Amino acid sequence: MEAKISDFGISRDYIMNETGALSTTLMGSMGYMDHEYMSSMKLTEKVDIYSFGVLLFEVVCGKNAIFIDASQQQTNIVEWAKAFINRGVIDEIVDVSLHGQFDVQSVWKVAEVAVACVEVPSSRRPKMSEIYLELKEAERLELESGERNAIDQPSVEFTG
């Protein structure tokens, strides 16, 4: 449960060609690369939005962008998680280390944001400011759920 953000998938490697001009080679990490970008080679801010969506899936699911599934197959987290989400199932993809201690509405909100971030075409993806607001709403839902659960739990009083 320790976030480690070190790569959203795309970096630029500047190389001087023989004429002295800078040429660029775009690189990225498997599972984080926007398929639309890979086919068009056009770099936009929406490429980073896609990669952030993958990160959100990782947070919800507790799995890497590319992971080995139960049948020992290499699996893309976006395709895997979206299949469950499209069927209306969220409990089966949530990180098992949470032991069911989460607000379902909050997780759905984050999952919906992740799905929006990986939309095709990329023009349908939200702006980062919109993502921020949606994630703040998910946080609010989770905090309210925690407060409700604290109220519902009987308090234990020790007397001497």
Side-chain angles (χ1 to χ4, degrees):
M1 296 300 295
E2 293 181 28
K4 295 179 181 84
I5 300 174
S6 61
D7 180 3
F8 282 113
I10 301 293
S11 62
R12 279 197 188 267
D13 180 18
Y14 292 97
I15 303 168
M16 291 291 237
N17 66 21
E18 290 135 15
T19 64
L22 286 177
S23 65
T24 61
T25 303
L26 294 170
M27 297 179 284
S29 300
M30 285 294 294
Y32 294 91
M33 299 229 2
D34 178 1
H35 301 291
E36 188 175 304
Y37 160 72
M38 290 190 307
S39 63
S40 71
M41 295 304 286
K42 183 178 179 187
L43 186 60
T44 68
E45 69 183 37
K46 299 297 183 166
V47 171
D48 287 337
I49 298 295
Y50 180 93
S51 299
F52 189 73
V54 175
L55 175 74
L56 290 176
F57 280 124
E58 288 181 313
V59 169
V60 168
C61 303
K63 297 185 181 300
N64 293 326
I66 303 293
F67 67 95
I68 303 299
D69 67 12
S71 64
Q72 300 303 306
Q73 299 294 314
Q74 197 173 44
T75 304
N76 179 298
I77 196 170
V78 172
E79 296 164 10
W80 177 80
K82 281 177 64 176
F84 284 94
I85 292 165
N86 290 339
R87 290 194 322 258
V89 177
I90 197 77
D91 291 350
E92 291 186 39
I93 67 168
V94 176
D95 187 349
V96 295
S97 70
L98 295 175
H99 305 288
Q101 301 298 310
F102 58 88
D103 178 74
V104 173
Q105 289 180 328
S106 174
V107 173
W108 265 114
K109 176 69 75 177
V110 176
E112 289 167 357
V113 172
V115 168
C117 288
V118 298
E119 279 285 344
V120 176
S122 61
S123 60
R124 295 176 56 192
R125 295 177 194 154
K127 295 178 180 177
M128 192 52 84
S129 59
E130 296 166 327
I131 294 167
Y132 172 78
L133 293 174
E134 292 295 321
L135 293 177
K136 287 298 283 181
E137 175 63 12
E139 178 188 38
R140 184 189 65 75
L141 291 169
E142 188 65 40
L143 291 173
E144 285 180 1
S145 172
E147 290 168 4
R148 280 192 307 272
N149 289 340
I151 291 170
D152 293 342
Q153 298 294 323
S155 59
V156 177
E157 207 173 294
F158 293 100
T159 58

